Amino acid sequence: MFRKRHVMHAIAAAIAVIAADAAAFAPCVRAADGPLVIARQGYFFVGGKIDTSIEGSPVVGQMYVEFQVPQTVEQSYPLVMIHGGGQTGTNFTGTPDGREGWAQYFLRHGYTVYVVDQVARGRAANWAQVYGAMTPPRFAFTEQRFARPEDAKLWPQAHLHTQWPGTGKPGDPVFEQFYASQVPSIADFAKQQELNRDAGAALLDRIGPAIVLTHSQSGAFGWPIADARPHLVKAIVAVEPSGPPVHDVVFKGAPDWFADAAPTKRWGLGEVPLTYDPPGAPEFVREEKSDAPDLVRCWVQKSPARQLVNLQSIPVLVVTSEASYHASYDHCTVKYLRQAGVSGMAVMSLPAHNIHGNGHMMMLEKNSDEIAAAMMGWLNETFAAEAKKTR
C-alpha cells in the first residue's frame, strides 16, 4: 500500500510539473482577441535551381516561405517578414515565452503575412559544399547583444535594457527556448546578400506588390531587393537594419565605446551592387564629429552624393529601440539614405513613442505588441497618404 501511495504521489508530482511547464509556454492571447481566423495557409519555396554539378543534384539558392491569409483581408498589400542573422522565421511566428508573434499580430489586423527562412537557414536546406563555411551560434554574443546587454555594458545605451522576458540566462526556460532556436549562417556575408536578394526578388515576382519588413542582418538584403524590384516594394520597414553604412562597429565599452571594423562596404549599405546615379560605387568620408556623445561618428558619401534612384520613391521606416547596440548608429543609416535621395524616410525611435527598455530582439520581448502597433500606425498613415495622392 505504501509503495502504491508513493507511486501515485510521484505521478501526481510529475503531472504538476508538466502542467506548470505547459502553462509557462501556453500562448498568451488576450480574451478580446479571440481565436485566429485564417482563410488559407501554406508554404512554398522560391528561387534556387537544381545543381547537377553536386552529388545528388540538390536544389540550391532557395528560400522557404510560409504564409497565412486572414479571413478578411483589410490591407492593400501583404507583409513579407525577413529575419536576421543566426535566426529563422520563428522570430516572427511566436515568442520564446509562448506569446503570439508579429506575424499573428499583423494577421489579426487584416494583413496577409509571408514569413521566410533565408537561403541556407531553417527549412531552406544548407549545402555546405555550395555555401562554404558557416558561422555557428555564439553563446557569449547571444547574451551580450540580445538577452543581457545590461551586464556587458559594451555600448552607452545597454544599461537601459529591461524588456527581455525572463532572466536571459541559462537555466531560465525562456532563454533556453530562444537559444535553442539559433542556427548557423553562411560566413560569407556578401554571398548571403546576393543569394537573398535573388530569392527575395523571386518571392515578389510570385506574390506581387508587398511591404518588406527586415530585421538586423536582413536589412542589408532589403535595399538590394527593392533596388531589383522597385515597382513591387511598396514600403520598407527596416527594424534596426544591418549597419552602419560603410564600416561596421566594434563595441569596446567605456570610455571610448566605438571603433570602426574592416573591411569597407563598397556599396555603402552592403557588399552587393546598388543602382546609383551617376553609376558606380560611391566614395566615402567620415564626419568630423558625432551627433551626440553616445552616438557613432557616421560615414557618408563624398559630395556630390550619388543617388539611389530605385529607392527614392519607396517609403522607408527605420525602427530603433532604446537599449540596443543599434541605438548608437541607426541614425547613420538614416543619414546615408537621405543623402542618397531617399526622400520618403521616417524614423521611429521607440522611446519617442513612450516605448522603453527594448533591446535588439524587440519582436520577442515583453512589449512586442506595442512595437507592432506603432509600426502599423506608420503603415496606416503612409498608405492613407498614398491613397489621397491617387484620388
Side-chain angles (χ1 to χ4, degrees), residues 16-27:
V17 170
I18 292 169
D21 286 346
F25 294 106

Side-chain angles (χ1 to χ4, degrees), residues 27-384:
C28 301
V29 181
R30 294 183 298 274
D33 289 339
L36 281 169
V37 182
I38 302 167
R40 191 163 57 92
Q41 65 181 14
Y43 72 92
F44 54 86
F45 293 87
V46 291
K49 62 181 181 179
I50 297 173
D51 192 335
T52 56
S53 69
I54 304 169
E55 183 180 357
S57 299
V59 176
V60 298
Q62 74 273 31
M63 173 184 283
Y64 170 87
V65 185
E66 64 182 43
F67 65 89
Q68 291 183 315
V69 181
Q71 185 179 45
T72 303
V73 177
E74 299 174 358
Q75 310 298 335
S76 300
Y77 302 110
L79 190 61
V80 174
M81 297 182 169
I82 309 177
H83 61 83
Q87 314 296 311
T88 69
T90 59
N91 279 176
F92 302 117
T93 58
T95 67
D97 60 336
R99 291 172 292 117
E100 290 186 353
W102 280 359
Q104 290 87 1
Y105 185 93
F106 283 94
L107 184 78
R108 287 183 178 278
H109 288 85
Y111 283 89
T112 296
V113 178
Y114 294 87
V115 178
V116 315
D117 285 354
Q118 289 180 25
V119 178
R121 304 270 189 93
R123 286 161 290 189
N126 168 39
W127 300 98
Q129 63 269 53
V130 177
Y131 303 126
M134 304 295 287
T135 300
R138 293 168 288 170
F139 183 82
F141 183 92
T142 301
E143 281 195 310
Q144 291 171 2
R145 296 291 182 103
F146 303 156
R148 297 289 304 179
E150 60 270 34
D151 292 346
K153 298 182 176 66
L154 291 178
W155 55 90
Q157 301 84 356
H159 70 284
L160 299 170
H161 186 234
T162 61
Q163 292 289 353
W164 187 264
T167 66
K169 296 180 178 180
D172 179 80
V174 174
F175 175 81
E176 294 191 353
Q177 283 287 302
F178 174 66
Y179 196 60
S181 73
Q182 306 303 286
V183 297
S185 303
I186 298 171
D188 185 339
F189 192 29
K191 182 178 287 187
Q192 284 192 51
Q193 292 169 54
E194 181 181 354
L195 289 166
N196 284 286
R197 173 200 61 196
D198 295 347
L203 172 57
L204 295 176
D205 289 341
R206 174 163 177 163
I207 68 174
I211 301 159
V212 176
L213 184 152
T214 62
H215 174 244
S216 192
Q217 180 198 65
S218 68
F221 313 157
W223 318 123
I225 289 171
D227 188 57
R229 298 293 186 274
H231 60 295
L232 294 179
V233 176
K234 292 302 178 182
I236 298 173
V237 178
V239 180
E240 301 202 340
S242 177
V246 187
H247 287 281
D248 283 333
V249 173
V250 176
F251 295 99
K252 304 189 300 178
D256 296 328
W257 295 112
F258 315 116
D260 283 345
T264 302
K265 301 172 188 177
R266 185 178 176 218
W267 296 91
L269 296 169
E271 285 78 33
V272 298
L274 295 170
T275 305
Y276 284 97
D277 183 25
E283 294 183 79
F284 307 114
V285 62
R286 195 174 190 185
E287 293 186 325
E288 291 185 4
K289 61 180 182 178
S290 64
D291 293 350
D294 61 349
L295 299 179
V296 167
R297 190 153 52 106
C298 299
W299 286 87
V300 294
Q301 292 190 57
K302 285 185 178 179
S303 187
R306 298 172 189 261
Q307 302 296 286
L308 288 166
V309 290
N310 287 343
L311 303 184
Q312 288 182 339
S313 63
I314 299 174
V316 175
L317 175 68
V318 174
V319 181
T320 306
S321 72
E322 184 173 50
S324 168
Y325 57 100
H326 277 253
S328 65
Y329 66 64
D330 273 357
H331 68 290
C332 296
T333 301
V334 172
K335 188 174 293 188
Y336 188 95
L337 289 165
R338 284 178 172 158
Q339 186 194 26
V342 183
S343 58
M345 281 290 310
V347 178
M348 181 174 287
S349 173
L350 294 184
H353 288 256
N354 201 31
I355 302 174
H356 296 282
N358 289 101
H360 185 53
M361 301 303 293
M362 64 188 81
M363 75 290 294
L364 305 179
E365 296 192 311
K366 291 183 288 188
N367 59 348
S368 57
D369 278 3
E370 288 183 65
I371 300 166
M375 294 189 299
M376 191 172 67
W378 177 81
L379 288 171
N380 290 343
E381 291 176 8
T382 297
F383 289 108

